[in-house]
């Protein structure tokens, strides 16, 4: 690395650390200082990856706080609310989880989940601790042993409750569970929802962006809240929710993460002498890897979601179609996927500011370059794709993603997402997991 690059990387590194400190609430990190003043489940995993690059004990605290909110069923909720619940909508009072028997008392949380990237974060913490040695290594290895049963329970819940038929695809009951909130992936399922009466609401997300059209509109939001009401009406009981909910989709990207994370957790299980649990987790990894591979559309080469209520595959040109690259699997099939990712409809699209995959392909009629999950580029997602590429020995793809990501983040704005053609940061600035992604990319160079 030349002197100019090194100076730039150090400035980026310090700026990213400053963002994580800005968002630090003590034992949890808010996703962003204004728009998202709480802890989000998969945000927390990426935040922990970034924190581990300079403060292993604080990274451990992040995951420990999240795990303390785990429900007795094994589910890890998608939001753990800070005391500033009034600054976000829908807050704890709107979720209706007060009566959920499985929610741990004294901890305010939502009643749904998000993708299980946590074992990947745990792997990073253990690796950074061992690299540092001394008290960092001791703390990381102690946390692995202390927390393992919680992560195992989380994976078991997903495998047993959200894939009861063993098809290798996780069923979600809200677009928010995917993390791809308003993606074109969900247009079909949401179009078939006819909400009943929904309590009046005042949103706050549109107050924190320059252009409200970047966010889902109120008609969409009403459907989101209707699903929450449906779940609350049965106290978030797993079985009852499945029977009454108006949104049941097998999420292929969630499933790809489940496959990858289960394999990582299996390796960690071996390291602490949990051979039987490691075997169970490798079984999950195989199941979901196979489920993801079986979803691939032979015409487009992209993985697909499945709408359970409509009984049909969902074919969209979204980045979720690259779930096999996250899951891992057959080298020949993954080579086809990599060629697509690098091709003219994705990273090779000629008008892109940086060669990074938009959330929806610019070649798709559903593409909207400024609208949340309908077109912008998400930095944390590029980090995940880079991690998978490195895992599979695909150094060239890893380096391409890393170089472009570091150039994108050199504006020091740490946007929630980025306009793919101009590189403009959009959504909330000083986003924690964007800063964390920068730290991990920089750290991987050392």
């Amino acid at each position: 690395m030349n002197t100019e690059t090194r100076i730039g990387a150090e400035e980026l590194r310090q700026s990213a650390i400053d963002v994580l400190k800005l968002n630090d609430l003590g034992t949890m990190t808010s996703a962003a200082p204004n728009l998202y003043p709480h802890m989000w489940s998969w945000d927390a995993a990426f935040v922990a990856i970034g924190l581990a690059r300079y403060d292993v004990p604080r990274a451990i605290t992040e995951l420990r706080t999240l795990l303390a909110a785990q429900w007795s069923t094994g589910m890890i909720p998608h939001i753990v609310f800070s005391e500033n619940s009034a600054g976000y909508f829908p807050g704890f009072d709107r979720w209706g989880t007060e009566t959920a028997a499985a929610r741990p008392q004294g901890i305010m949380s939502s009643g749904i989940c998000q993708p299980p990237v946590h074992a990947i974060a745990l792997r990073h913490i253990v690796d950074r601790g061992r690299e540092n040695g001394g008290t960092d290594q001791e703390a990381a290895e102690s946390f692995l042993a202390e927390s393992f049963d919680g992560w195992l329970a989380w994976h078991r819940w997903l495998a047993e409750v959200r894939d009861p038929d063993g098809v290798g695809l996780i069923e979600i009951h809200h677009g928010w569970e995917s993390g791809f909130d308003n993606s074109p992936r969900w247009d079909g399922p949401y179009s078939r929802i006819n909400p009943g009466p929904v309590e009046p609401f005042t949103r706050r997300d549109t107050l924190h962006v320059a252009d409200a059209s970047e966010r889902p509109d109120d008609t969409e939001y009403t459907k989101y809240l209707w699903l929450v009401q449906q779940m609350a009406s049965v106290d978030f009981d797993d079985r009852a929710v499945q029977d009454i909910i108006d949104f049941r989709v097998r999420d292929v990207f969630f499933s790809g993460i489940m496959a990858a994370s289960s394999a990582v957790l299996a390796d960690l299980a071996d390291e602490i002498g949990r051979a039987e649990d490691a075997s169970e987790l490798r079984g999950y990894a195989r199941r979901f890897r196979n489920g993801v591979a079986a979803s691939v559309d032979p015409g487009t080469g992209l993985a697909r979601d499945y709408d359970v209520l409509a009984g049909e595959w969902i074919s969209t040109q979204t980045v979720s179609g690259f779930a096999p690259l996250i899951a891992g699997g057959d080298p020949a099939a993954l080579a086809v996927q990599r060629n697509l990712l690098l091709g003219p409809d994705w990273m090779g699209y000629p008008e892109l500011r940086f060669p990074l995959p938009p959330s929806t392909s610019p070649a798709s009629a559903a593409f909207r370059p400024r609208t949340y999950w309908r077109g912008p580029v998400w930095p944390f997602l590029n980090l995940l794709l880079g991690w998978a590429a490195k895992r599979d020995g695909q150094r060239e793809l890893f380096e391409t993603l890393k170089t472009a990501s570091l150039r994108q983040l050199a504006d020091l704005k740490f946007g929630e997402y980025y306009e793919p053609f101009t590189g403009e940061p959009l959504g909330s600035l000083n986003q924690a997991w964007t800063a964390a992604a920068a730290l991990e990319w920089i750290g991987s160079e050392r």
Side-chain angles (χ1 to χ4, degrees):
M1 204 163 48
N2 62 38
T3 303
E4 180 181 345
T5 305
R6 184 159 53 246
I7 292 172
E10 186 53 40
E11 183 180 1
L12 176 57
R13 179 179 179 274
Q14 190 56 55
S15 296
I17 291 172
D18 290 345
V19 168
L20 291 185
K21 289 181 176 179
L22 171 70
N23 292 348
D24 193 342
L25 301 178
T27 58
M28 67 168 69
T29 302
S30 66
N34 297 313
L35 179 52
Y36 305 112
H38 309 293
M39 167 184 269
W40 267 258
S41 174
W42 72 332
D43 294 57
F46 287 98
V47 165
I49 289 171
L51 286 168
R53 282 292 175 182
Y54 69 94
D55 190 341
V56 166
R58 182 62 186 82
I60 290 169
T61 296
E62 193 73 14
L63 290 191
R64 183 179 282 130
T65 297
L66 179 67
L67 199 57
Q70 184 173 34
W71 289 27
S72 61
T73 56
M75 184 192 79
I76 293 178
H78 98 298
I79 300 176
V80 182
F81 291 101
S82 69
E83 293 302 316
N84 186 27
S85 188
Y88 174 79
F89 180 85
F92 176 63
D93 57 341
R94 185 67 181 239
W95 271 93
T97 54
E98 297 95 332
T99 57
R103 180 181 62 85
Q105 291 300 306
I107 296 179
M108 299 183 294
S109 74
S110 65
I112 60 175
C113 64
Q114 278 184 328
V117 285
H118 313 93
I120 297 171
L122 181 61
R123 172 84 269 173
H124 279 74
I125 288 172
V126 171
D127 289 348
R128 299 295 83 75
R130 289 173 177 165
E131 287 169 6
N132 297 347
T135 57
D136 277 359
Q137 179 172 354
E138 200 175 304
E141 292 181 342
S142 177
F143 179 65
L144 167 59
E146 158 205 328
S147 65
F148 180 82
D149 285 329
W151 307 121
L152 178 61
W154 167 221
H155 281 243
R156 281 177 174 163
W157 180 82
L158 286 168
E160 295 168 8
V161 174
R162 292 302 187 90
D163 183 29
D165 298 325
V167 299
L169 292 172
I170 296 288
E171 182 177 309
I172 63 171
H173 298 143
H174 200 298
W176 287 345
E177 290 199 303
S178 71
F180 289 51
D181 298 9
N182 70 325
S183 172
R185 303 165 67 189
W186 317 133
D187 286 356
Y190 275 124
S191 72
R192 290 183 277 275
I193 295 177
N194 295 304
V198 171
E199 185 181 340
F201 60 93
T202 301
R203 295 168 60 184
R204 290 184 170 86
D205 60 319
T206 52
L207 303 178
H208 295 283
V209 294
D211 182 357
S213 68
E214 292 177 18
R215 316 298 286 194
D217 63 28
D218 282 356
T219 300
E220 293 173 87
Y221 224 87
T222 297
K223 294 182 179 184
Y224 301 161
L225 295 173
W226 169 245
L227 295 176
V228 171
Q229 284 184 198
Q230 284 190 302
M231 289 183 252
S233 73
V234 293
D235 297 326
F236 294 89
D237 177 80
D238 289 330
R239 178 65 58 152
V241 166
Q242 186 171 306
D243 289 341
I244 59 100
I245 199 72
D246 286 338
F247 187 104
R248 293 182 60 191
V249 178
R250 293 172 182 163
D251 180 342
V252 73
F253 200 80
F254 196 125
S255 304
I257 292 173
M258 176 66 173
S261 207
S262 293
V264 169
L265 194 57
D267 289 344
L268 290 168
D270 278 334
E271 291 178 18
I272 58 173
R274 303 281 291 264
E276 189 174 331
D277 297 324
S279 178
E280 177 186 345
L281 287 160
R282 289 198 174 94
Y284 295 157
R286 283 191 300 274
R287 186 211 298 185
F288 290 98
R289 195 179 298 128
N290 291 339
V292 168
S295 79
V296 172
D297 185 330
T300 66
L302 295 173
R304 296 172 292 179
D305 305 295
Y306 184 79
D307 188 334
V308 175
L309 297 177
E312 62 186 28
W313 289 105
I314 301 171
S315 295
T316 58
Q317 290 176 277
T318 68
V319 73
S320 65
F322 296 104
L325 292 181
I326 304 299
D330 174 58
L334 297 188
V336 172
Q337 280 251 305
R338 279 192 297 276
N339 287 336
L340 279 174
L341 182 63
L342 291 164
D345 287 352
W346 292 95
M347 291 169 65
Y349 195 83
E351 296 174 43
L352 295 180
R353 176 68 180 85
F354 304 106
L356 294 167
S359 46
T360 299
S361 170
S364 168
F367 175 73
R368 301 289 182 273
R370 303 179 67 86
T371 306
Y372 213 38
W373 280 98
R374 306 184 79 89
V377 174
W378 289 75
F380 84 94
L381 203 53
N382 298 325
L383 184 70
L384 183 61
L385 286 165
W387 170 84
K390 191 174 184 180
R391 175 201 62 194
D392 293 340
Q394 299 300 318
R395 192 74 198 184
E396 185 176 351
L397 176 57
F398 172 81
E399 291 292 339
T400 298
L401 289 164
K402 180 184 74 174
T403 300
S405 293
L406 289 172
R407 288 175 59 210
Q408 178 190 57
L409 300 176
D411 65 355
L412 305 183
K413 300 294 186 183
F414 303 103
E416 184 179 359
Y417 42 92
Y418 284 76
E419 210 278 6
F421 301 141
T422 67
E424 177 188 355
L426 300 173
S428 180
L429 303 183
N430 293 321
Q431 193 82 12
W433 63 357
T434 303
L439 287 166
E440 180 55 24
W441 284 125
I442 293 167
S444 68
E445 293 191 329
R446 300 186 173 193

